[in-house]
Amino acid sequence: MLLYEIKVNYERQTGEDNPGKVKETYLVEGVNCADVENHLMEEIKPFIFGDCEVASCKKVQYFDIFPNEGGEFWYKGRVELITVDGDKETRKAVSVLVQATLLDDAVHALKQFLSSLDCEIISIAKTPIMDILRAVN
């Protein structure tokens, strides 16, 4: 399955009796943009008050995703995977997602998840991703 990053703008309940406009980003698994847009709309339908617009939909690729139910945010890490073949060292940069509440927790979790690989963390940053929706089987 492919992953798509979808940005939506819509009105939702933001506090007591006052719907407000929000811009949210989701990562959704599916076969194409139409498929993932439909899946996302079904998920957020109960929260929509008024108009809802898909601002963008693009295919994204992650080497791996490390969820943590206790984590509040998604962090994107850039990691260099290192392979050695004889005297030749090859480095390949990949992106990963890790769920954590604090940046320090994300770094620690990423180091733990990748401890069995020969790799180097290049960067890690908080993303605007609200949630990751997997395909319905």
Side-chain angles (χ1 to χ4, degrees):
M1 268 306 158
L2 301 172
L3 288 172
Y4 291 84
E5 182 181 273
I6 301 180
K7 296 181 181 186
V8 291
N9 303 326
Y10 64 101
E11 283 190 51
R12 76 174 290 161
Q13 194 71 27
T14 57
E16 293 180 29
D17 301 329
N18 60 331
K21 290 207 179 261
V22 295
K23 296 178 180 180
E24 295 179 342
T25 303
Y26 293 88
L27 204 58
V28 185
E29 187 177 48
V31 293
N32 57 40
C33 276
D35 178 47
V36 296
E37 285 177 23
N38 288 335
H39 185 191
L40 178 60
M41 288 305 133
E42 286 301 314
E43 290 290 323
I44 65 173
K45 189 181 211 175
F47 309 108
I48 298 173
F49 286 90
D51 292 339
C52 180
E53 165 191 30
V54 174
S56 69
C57 179
K58 67 178 182 179
K59 190 172 16 172
V60 292
Q61 188 172 349
Y62 290 98
F63 178 74
D64 212 340
I65 297 173
F66 306 107
N68 171 11
E69 290 191 24
E72 190 175 341
F73 305 107
W74 286 97
Y75 292 84
K76 179 180 179 178
R78 287 291 291 166
V79 176
E80 274 191 343
L81 301 175
I82 304 165
T83 55
V84 178
D85 185 16
D87 292 337
K88 185 178 178 186
E89 178 180 277
T90 305
R91 293 174 172 257
K92 178 182 178 185
V94 296
S95 295
V96 296
L97 283 178
V98 61
Q99 192 175 19
T101 300
L102 302 171
L103 179 61
D104 288 343
D105 296 338
V107 172
H108 177 72
L110 191 54
K111 285 180 180 179
Q112 191 174 16
F113 289 131
L114 299 173
S115 64
S116 64
L117 299 175
D118 191 7
C119 62
E120 181 180 328
I121 298 173
I122 299 184
S123 67
I124 189 163
K126 189 173 166 183
T127 72
I129 296 170
M130 298 290 294
D131 200 2
I132 297 177
L133 304 175
R134 298 293 186 168
V136 180
N137 292 331

